[in-house]
Amino acid sequence: KFYSSTHHLQALVTEGVSLAAGWSTDILPLLRRYRNLRAVAPASGTLLSADVWVKPKIAELASEVAQPQDLKAPLADWLSFFWEPQVATQLTVTNPGASPLYSHLENPQLPEPLKTVSNLLPTAETYDQSEFLNPLSPATQAQALALWSKVSPAAPDR
């Protein structure tokens, strides 16, 4: 009935459609505002994706040349900080994505603030049935772009 990679949820909210597929980072914030909507994952599974941690530019320098230990320690501390349970919990509650620290825990095992965040963390069964979306190879990226230009040469979003 309707296709858009950027406005699909507007059609759902205005009741132009009764079902929409989208990324959880788009859908979950909408659920807080529109309490009559629900999010589901197919029983057969779904695609799982994750934000990728980036290394500060200084980390590349630290690995290329011998650096004093006092330079390497802050980099490790910075990355480790986000894996501390208290920090990971706070980031999971306040952002539209879940820390991988909690990826296979069932509700009773979760920290208290996460037990009430509906649909943020898929069940272990959903994880097991789903496939992780890895970055595409350059050849596959080129093939996908070529196919997309054939399907939609006029506009990237219809």
Side-chain angles (χ1 to χ4, degrees), residues 9 12-13 23-39 89-99 113-114 116-121:
L9 298 177
L12 183 65
V13 169
W23 296 107
S24 60
T25 52
D26 295 336
I27 294 170
L28 293 175
L30 192 74
L31 297 180
R32 292 184 194 118
R33 186 167 178 195
Y34 297 93
R35 304 271 183 201
N36 60 320
L37 298 178
R38 300 288 177 262
T89 299
Q90 184 176 4
L91 289 172
T92 299
V93 169
T94 58
N95 292 290
S99 169
L114 299 183
T116 58
V117 182
S118 173
N119 292 317
L120 183 59
L121 297 161

Side-chain angles (χ1 to χ4, degrees), residues 4 6 8 12 17-18 28-29 32 46 49-50 52 61 68 85 97 101-104 113-115 137 144-145:
S4 173
T6 56
H8 56 291
L12 183 65
V17 298
S18 56
L28 293 175
R32 292 184 194 118
T46 187
S49 65
V52 180
L61 295 173
L101 191 61
Y102 305 117
S103 64
H104 277 82
L114 299 183
K115 291 180 181 181
S137 69
L145 288 173

Side-chain angles (χ1 to χ4, degrees), residues 137-149:
S137 69
T140 304
Q141 286 180 21
Q143 188 178 20
L145 288 173
L147 178 60
W148 181 250
S149 67

